[in-house]
Amino acid sequence: RNNGFAISTPTSEQYSGDGIVMRGVGYGMDALRVDGNDALAVAEAVRAARDHAAEHNAPVLIEMLTYRRSHHSTSDDSSRYRSKHEPDLFHAKSDPIL
């Protein structure tokens, strides 16, 4: 699951490249990226990855892009690295439950 932060550090500062999905390719495995906020897209991606893994006896990496609305842990204060209004904006525009 890729929520854009590695605890309090943006993933853009944690690694270079196009997300985690390319790591799978670098290790010689098939990989795909899916909107982790879309339950139907996740179900389809998992089904396809499972079918491919079973047919080819090979691993498949799935990167699920999502959003962490709250702090990473009880010792994390996410308002230090994003505005206090950002989670509300996500909720209003993209919350998968609504």
Side-chain angles (χ1 to χ4, degrees):
R1 179 180 65 146
N2 183 349
N3 63 25
F5 287 95
I7 303 182
S8 60
T9 305
T11 53
S12 62
E13 295 178 18
Q14 286 288 324
Y15 53 82
S16 62
D18 185 24
I20 301 297
V21 73
M22 295 310 294
R23 301 275 174 108
V25 175
Y27 283 104
M29 67 175 75
D30 289 312
L32 56 102
R33 177 182 289 148
V34 64
D35 178 353
N37 297 318
D38 182 338
L40 297 177
V42 169
E44 174 58 25
V46 170
R47 185 205 55 76
R50 190 258 176 235
D51 290 349
H52 181 85
E55 181 179 338
H56 298 282
N57 194 30
V60 178
L61 177 107
I62 303 173
E63 178 181 18
M64 297 181 194
L65 300 176
T66 188
Y67 186 81
R68 177 170 39 92
R69 290 191 61 197
S70 63
H71 308 296
H72 179 79
S73 67
T74 57
S75 63
D76 177 38
D77 178 8
S78 63
S79 66
R80 291 182 314 143
Y81 50 89
R82 63 181 181 190
S83 77
K84 292 184 179 191
H85 302 291
E86 183 181 310
D88 295 332
L89 293 173
F90 169 81
H91 178 70
K93 292 173 38 181
S94 304
D95 192 313
I97 304 299
L98 297 179

